Short mmCIF file of all heavy atoms in Angstrom, two decimals:
data_model
loop_
_atom_site.label_atom_id
_atom_site.label_comp_id
_atom_site.label_asym_id
_atom_site.label_seq_id
_atom_site.Cartn_x
_atom_site.Cartn_y
_atom_site.Cartn_z
N ILE U 1502 24.53 1.42 134.69
CA ILE U 1502 25.53 2.34 134.14
C ILE U 1502 25.05 2.96 132.86
O ILE U 1502 24.14 2.48 132.24
CB ILE U 1502 26.86 1.69 133.95
CG1 ILE U 1502 26.80 0.54 132.97
CG2 ILE U 1502 27.39 1.14 135.33
CD1 ILE U 1502 28.18 -0.07 132.60
N SER U 1503 25.71 4.05 132.53
CA SER U 1503 25.29 4.82 131.36
C SER U 1503 26.34 4.86 130.27
O SER U 1503 26.15 5.67 129.36
CB SER U 1503 24.92 6.28 131.81
OG SER U 1503 26.08 6.91 132.38
N SER U 1504 27.38 4.04 130.31
CA SER U 1504 28.33 4.04 129.32
C SER U 1504 28.95 2.70 129.10
O SER U 1504 28.88 1.86 129.96
CB SER U 1504 29.43 5.10 129.64
OG SER U 1504 30.08 4.75 130.78
N TYR U 1505 29.60 2.50 127.96
CA TYR U 1505 30.35 1.27 127.70
C TYR U 1505 31.50 1.55 126.79
O TYR U 1505 31.50 2.53 126.04
CB TYR U 1505 29.37 0.17 127.19
CG TYR U 1505 28.80 0.47 125.85
CD1 TYR U 1505 29.35 0.13 124.65
CD2 TYR U 1505 27.48 1.03 125.85
CE1 TYR U 1505 28.73 0.41 123.44
CE2 TYR U 1505 26.88 1.39 124.64
CZ TYR U 1505 27.47 1.05 123.41
OH TYR U 1505 26.89 1.31 122.20
N SER U 1506 32.52 0.66 126.79
CA SER U 1506 33.62 0.82 125.86
C SER U 1506 33.12 0.53 124.43
O SER U 1506 32.32 -0.30 124.16
CB SER U 1506 34.65 -0.17 126.25
OG SER U 1506 35.10 0.04 127.55
N LYS U 1507 33.75 1.30 123.50
CA LYS U 1507 33.21 1.37 122.16
C LYS U 1507 33.35 0.09 121.35
O LYS U 1507 32.40 -0.28 120.63
CB LYS U 1507 33.94 2.52 121.37
CG LYS U 1507 33.57 2.57 119.95
CD LYS U 1507 34.36 3.65 119.25
CE LYS U 1507 34.09 3.68 117.73
NZ LYS U 1507 34.85 4.65 116.99
N PHE U 1508 34.48 -0.56 121.30
CA PHE U 1508 34.79 -1.64 120.39
C PHE U 1508 34.03 -2.93 120.85
O PHE U 1508 34.61 -3.64 121.74
CB PHE U 1508 36.19 -1.86 120.18
CG PHE U 1508 36.93 -0.63 119.57
CD1 PHE U 1508 37.59 0.27 120.43
CD2 PHE U 1508 36.83 -0.38 118.19
CE1 PHE U 1508 38.16 1.39 119.91
CE2 PHE U 1508 37.46 0.79 117.71
CZ PHE U 1508 38.15 1.65 118.55
N ILE U 1509 32.89 -3.28 120.25
CA ILE U 1509 32.10 -4.46 120.69
C ILE U 1509 32.69 -5.71 120.04
O ILE U 1509 32.61 -5.94 118.85
CB ILE U 1509 30.64 -4.31 120.25
CG1 ILE U 1509 30.06 -2.97 120.89
CG2 ILE U 1509 29.82 -5.48 120.59
CD1 ILE U 1509 28.68 -2.66 120.43
N ILE U 1510 33.28 -6.52 120.89
CA ILE U 1510 34.02 -7.73 120.47
C ILE U 1510 33.06 -8.94 120.29
O ILE U 1510 33.17 -9.69 119.32
CB ILE U 1510 35.10 -8.09 121.43
CG1 ILE U 1510 36.10 -6.90 121.57
CG2 ILE U 1510 35.91 -9.28 120.93
CD1 ILE U 1510 37.13 -7.04 122.70
N SER U 1511 32.21 -9.14 121.30
CA SER U 1511 31.42 -10.40 121.27
C SER U 1511 30.22 -10.32 122.18
O SER U 1511 30.17 -9.44 123.07
CB SER U 1511 32.28 -11.53 121.78
OG SER U 1511 31.69 -12.78 121.61
N PHE U 1512 29.24 -11.11 121.91
CA PHE U 1512 28.02 -11.20 122.74
C PHE U 1512 28.04 -12.58 123.50
O PHE U 1512 28.77 -13.49 123.13
CB PHE U 1512 26.77 -11.12 121.96
CG PHE U 1512 26.55 -9.66 121.47
CD1 PHE U 1512 27.26 -9.18 120.39
CD2 PHE U 1512 25.66 -8.83 122.12
CE1 PHE U 1512 27.06 -7.94 119.92
CE2 PHE U 1512 25.41 -7.58 121.65
CZ PHE U 1512 26.19 -7.12 120.60
N ALA U 1513 27.25 -12.72 124.60
CA ALA U 1513 27.29 -13.90 125.34
C ALA U 1513 26.00 -14.13 126.05
O ALA U 1513 25.12 -13.21 126.19
CB ALA U 1513 28.45 -13.84 126.38
N GLU U 1514 25.79 -15.36 126.48
CA GLU U 1514 24.56 -15.81 127.14
C GLU U 1514 24.94 -16.59 128.38
O GLU U 1514 25.75 -17.55 128.19
CB GLU U 1514 23.74 -16.61 126.19
CG GLU U 1514 22.32 -17.01 126.63
CD GLU U 1514 21.61 -17.88 125.67
OE1 GLU U 1514 22.17 -18.87 125.22
OE2 GLU U 1514 20.49 -17.61 125.26
N ASP U 1515 24.45 -16.31 129.54
CA ASP U 1515 24.75 -17.09 130.66
C ASP U 1515 23.82 -18.32 130.80
O ASP U 1515 22.94 -18.54 129.93
CB ASP U 1515 24.75 -16.28 131.99
CG ASP U 1515 23.35 -15.82 132.39
OD1 ASP U 1515 22.35 -16.33 131.93
OD2 ASP U 1515 23.27 -14.84 133.22
N GLU U 1516 24.04 -19.13 131.81
CA GLU U 1516 23.32 -20.36 131.93
C GLU U 1516 21.81 -20.13 132.08
O GLU U 1516 21.01 -20.99 131.79
CB GLU U 1516 23.86 -21.23 133.05
CG GLU U 1516 23.38 -22.65 133.07
CD GLU U 1516 24.17 -23.60 133.98
OE1 GLU U 1516 25.20 -23.09 134.57
OE2 GLU U 1516 23.82 -24.76 134.03
N ALA U 1517 21.42 -19.00 132.66
CA ALA U 1517 20.00 -18.68 132.87
C ALA U 1517 19.41 -18.04 131.67
O ALA U 1517 18.15 -17.73 131.61
CB ALA U 1517 19.87 -17.73 134.10
N GLY U 1518 20.20 -17.78 130.63
CA GLY U 1518 19.67 -17.19 129.42
C GLY U 1518 19.72 -15.68 129.37
O GLY U 1518 19.21 -15.11 128.38
N GLU U 1519 20.38 -15.00 130.33
CA GLU U 1519 20.47 -13.57 130.24
C GLU U 1519 21.57 -13.16 129.32
O GLU U 1519 22.50 -13.94 129.08
CB GLU U 1519 20.76 -13.00 131.68
CG GLU U 1519 19.71 -13.29 132.72
CD GLU U 1519 18.29 -12.85 132.23
OE1 GLU U 1519 18.18 -11.77 131.61
OE2 GLU U 1519 17.29 -13.60 132.44
N LEU U 1520 21.48 -11.98 128.75
CA LEU U 1520 22.33 -11.59 127.58
C LEU U 1520 23.37 -10.58 128.02
O LEU U 1520 23.10 -9.69 128.84
CB LEU U 1520 21.45 -11.01 126.52
CG LEU U 1520 22.02 -10.91 125.13
CD1 LEU U 1520 22.56 -12.28 124.64
CD2 LEU U 1520 20.95 -10.43 124.16
N TYR U 1521 24.60 -10.69 127.46
CA TYR U 1521 25.74 -9.83 127.79
C TYR U 1521 26.46 -9.45 126.51
O TYR U 1521 26.20 -10.11 125.45
CB TYR U 1521 26.79 -10.63 128.66
CG TYR U 1521 26.20 -11.15 129.90
CD1 TYR U 1521 25.33 -12.25 129.98
CD2 TYR U 1521 26.56 -10.57 131.18
CE1 TYR U 1521 24.86 -12.76 131.17
CE2 TYR U 1521 26.09 -11.10 132.40
CZ TYR U 1521 25.22 -12.17 132.35
OH TYR U 1521 24.74 -12.69 133.55
N PHE U 1522 27.36 -8.48 126.62
CA PHE U 1522 28.30 -8.26 125.53
C PHE U 1522 29.63 -7.79 126.05
O PHE U 1522 29.68 -7.33 127.21
CB PHE U 1522 27.72 -7.31 124.46
CG PHE U 1522 27.77 -5.83 124.86
CD1 PHE U 1522 28.82 -4.97 124.61
CD2 PHE U 1522 26.64 -5.29 125.55
CE1 PHE U 1522 28.82 -3.62 125.03
CE2 PHE U 1522 26.63 -3.96 125.95
CZ PHE U 1522 27.72 -3.16 125.66
N MET U 1523 30.69 -8.04 125.32
CA MET U 1523 32.03 -7.72 125.73
C MET U 1523 32.61 -6.64 124.79
O MET U 1523 32.39 -6.74 123.56
CB MET U 1523 32.91 -8.91 125.74
CG MET U 1523 32.68 -9.90 126.89
SD MET U 1523 33.02 -11.61 126.44
CE MET U 1523 31.55 -12.01 125.53
N SER U 1524 33.26 -5.69 125.34
CA SER U 1524 33.85 -4.63 124.48
C SER U 1524 35.08 -4.06 125.17
O SER U 1524 35.42 -4.37 126.33
CB SER U 1524 32.87 -3.47 124.23
OG SER U 1524 32.54 -2.85 125.40
N THR U 1525 35.85 -3.32 124.40
CA THR U 1525 37.12 -2.75 124.92
C THR U 1525 37.25 -1.36 124.43
O THR U 1525 36.63 -0.94 123.38
CB THR U 1525 38.30 -3.55 124.47
OG1 THR U 1525 39.51 -3.03 125.06
CG2 THR U 1525 38.50 -3.55 122.98
N SER U 1526 37.96 -0.53 125.16
CA SER U 1526 38.24 0.87 124.74
C SER U 1526 39.53 0.93 123.88
O SER U 1526 39.86 2.03 123.28
CB SER U 1526 38.36 1.75 125.95
OG SER U 1526 39.42 1.35 126.77
#
Side-chain angles (χ1 to χ4, degrees):
I1502 62 174
S1503 59
S1504 63
Y1505 60 90
S1506 300
K1507 175 183 175 180
F1508 299 98
I1509 300 174
I1510 303 172
S1511 189
F1512 287 78
E1514 185 183 53
D1515 67 17
E1516 194 166 355
E1519 299 306 320
L1520 198 55
Y1521 304 72
F1522 74 93
M1523 286 149 280
S1524 64
T1525 183
S1526 60

